[in-house]
Amino acid sequence: MAGTPLGEPGSAQHIVHLVSTGTASSRADLVRELGLAASTVSLRVQELVDAGLLTESGEGASRGGRRPRLLRVASHGGVAVAADLGSHHARLGVVDLGGTVSDAVDLPHDITAGPGSAVDWLCGQVDRLVARQREEGRTVRALGVAFPGPVQPGTGRVLSPSRMPGWHRYPLRDVLAERLGFPVTVDNDATMMAVGEHRVARPELDHLVVVKAGRGIGSGVISAGRPHDGANGSAGDISHVRVDAAGDRPCSCGNIGCLETVASGAALIRELALHGVEVSDTSDLLRLVADGDPRATTLVRTAGRHIGTVLSVVVNFFNPQAVALGGVLATAEPLVAAVRGVLYERCLPLATADLEITTTVTGADAGLLGAGLTALRRHLPTTPAALPGPAPDPVRAPQEESAPA
């Protein structure tokens, strides 16, 4: 993402971020973190409290002198509807400023049929979630979408997604914002998974790679504590790195020999079919692995080695503090163990000395959390003085100018 979704230091976005991640739990903590005068911090915090975005209650531990009152993100301070889209399914839910997911639901939907039907379907689902939130007295501030393909930073425009005819250069953010009448952010799904895992489960890490292994394969990168998209939104797209084991297998991207052709859930399902084993989706594949089916287990373990081979280059080059595996295939222990083994085998000892190789803590909600929190923080007003007090829900209000991504 170009720029910072947190706003300028000391802005409303920045203060809410520091409180929601636990970096600061009092006004005194904020003074130390921001380097601003205590009177300035106190004024900005009070405006956020008055606006209903933060609450202040109880007493924290004293470090000498008066015991500080504890700051928390207000559960009623506004929510975002979030959609984590896959090629053949979607997970939708509601995310609040504190990083809590509610009303999450998994639904089948084929977005490869084209943007027209996908937008109609998504708007219908979002309308239902928004209506439910309004009935419960919650303010919906924005929609965050995690999309399974490259997204142009700053514009929310889809760029050259594999397996999705009709989507190239589609202005998804702007179309959704016009249809829904409130702010929308659209970002790559693997990047949003990394954002969700980082902000909710691993905020102390500055350098993190999160792999999404499902029907396809992707990865999101957190660098210096911020999501990294690259120049055109394709950073982390390990799916189309060529691997020797793939030979000349044609890939959906138009190239040959890509990692996706031998290590994705779709590739494993095709391979099983060649051996006379029919499974309908990756969940069926994983049930075979759980039941100890030798052919399925071998395929999943081999896929893990292929993924590990590509990730070993990433780890040596980027030197992250952690590699977290997510997506449905990451629930298969043989795959996780194979990735871990290859990384230790192929990476420099210095790169793996303190490297954590694990699965995501946030699980299936990682993408929702990333999309929802990104949408909320991009669409908080830039300065506390601009924050409204209790006001009507902005849903169906005139479209706001989207903040830079």
Side-chain angles (χ1 to χ4, degrees):
M1 292 162 205
T4 167
L6 302 180
E8 294 300 318
S11 67
Q13 296 100 319
H14 192 201
I15 290 172
V16 170
H17 173 71
L18 292 174
V19 174
S20 67
T21 58
T23 304
S25 60
S26 69
R27 300 187 188 207
D29 289 344
L30 287 170
V31 170
R32 283 190 291 271
E33 289 291 328
L34 299 173
L36 299 174
S39 58
T40 300
V41 169
S42 183
L43 176 62
R44 294 183 181 180
V45 167
Q46 191 58 52
E47 288 173 323
L48 289 166
V49 170
D50 292 342
L53 295 177
L54 294 180
T55 63
E56 191 172 30
S57 62
E59 291 187 339
S62 173
R63 298 182 182 178
R66 199 170 176 183
R67 297 177 70 183
R69 289 168 62 79
L70 296 178
L71 289 169
R72 292 185 177 87
V73 173
S75 60
H76 59 275
V79 298
V81 174
D84 185 8
L85 304 180
S87 57
H88 292 81
H89 75 283
R91 184 170 176 83
L92 290 93
V94 175
V95 179
D96 67 22
L97 285 162
T100 299
V101 174
S102 60
D103 294 326
V105 60
D106 290 291
L107 300 169
H109 183 72
D110 183 4
I111 68 172
T112 64
S117 61
V119 166
D120 288 343
W121 178 84
L122 182 57
C123 286
Q125 298 300 326
V126 170
D127 279 340
R128 280 188 278 276
L129 277 171
V130 167
R132 188 179 309 159
Q133 302 314 303
R134 296 184 72 181
E135 288 171 1
E136 296 174 359
R138 306 172 89 184
T139 298
V140 177
R141 297 186 180 275
L143 165 67
V145 177
F147 186 84
V151 176
Q152 186 177 46
T155 70
R157 185 184 293 270
V158 178
L159 297 177
S160 303
S162 300
R163 308 181 304 278
M164 296 182 193
W167 280 97
H168 178 52
R169 298 197 64 78
Y170 188 78
L172 182 57
R173 184 194 70 183
D174 294 344
V175 170
L176 288 172
E178 182 176 354
R179 285 279 299 270
L180 294 168
F182 59 94
V184 177
T185 63
V186 178
D187 297 274
N188 172 259
D189 60 341
T191 298
M192 290 297 92
M193 176 179 279
V195 170
E197 179 73 6
H198 177 241
R199 290 184 181 167
V200 174
R202 305 171 190 274
E204 76 284 358
L205 299 184
D206 290 325
H207 310 292
L208 171 68
V209 174
V210 176
V211 178
K212 183 174 185 179
R215 191 175 184 89
I217 303 171
S219 72
V221 179
I222 301 295
S223 177
R226 301 186 183 281
H228 177 68
D229 277 336
N232 295 313
S234 67
D237 193 354
I238 62 173
S239 190
H240 300 292
V241 173
R242 187 162 186 175
V243 293
D244 291 340
D248 292 330
R249 286 181 175 85
C251 181
S252 60
C253 72
N255 212 330
I256 59 172
C258 295
L259 176 66
E260 177 181 297
T261 66
V262 291
S264 65
L268 300 185
I269 290 170
R270 286 195 299 269
E271 190 66 23
L272 279 176
L274 293 176
H275 291 88
V277 181
E278 296 290 339
V279 294
S280 59
D281 54 29
T282 49
S283 296
D284 287 342
L285 167 66
L286 293 174
R287 276 192 284 274
L288 290 177
V289 175
D291 289 340
D293 181 89
R295 197 181 303 278
T297 302
T298 297
L299 281 174
V300 166
R301 182 178 291 115
T302 302
R305 290 195 62 82
H306 295 325
I307 294 171
T309 297
V310 172
L311 281 178
S312 65
V313 179
V314 175
V315 169
N316 277 335
F317 177 79
F318 177 52
N319 189 203
Q321 294 159 290
V323 172
L325 304 175
V328 64
L329 287 182
T331 62
E333 181 53 36
L335 182 139
V336 177
V339 170
R340 185 180 289 118
V342 171
L343 289 181
Y344 283 124
E345 173 189 324
R346 295 195 173 212
C347 292
L348 293 168
L350 185 61
T352 57
D354 299 309
L355 178 68
E356 181 186 5
I357 307 168
T358 184
T359 53
T360 56
V361 175
T362 50
D365 286 335
L368 287 183
L369 287 164
L373 290 173
T374 296
L376 283 170
R377 285 170 184 149
R378 284 185 188 167
H379 295 291
L380 284 176
T382 303
T383 62
L387 287 166
D393 196 314
V395 172
R396 305 299 182 195
Q399 170 63 23
E400 299 176 16
E401 176 88 14
S402 293

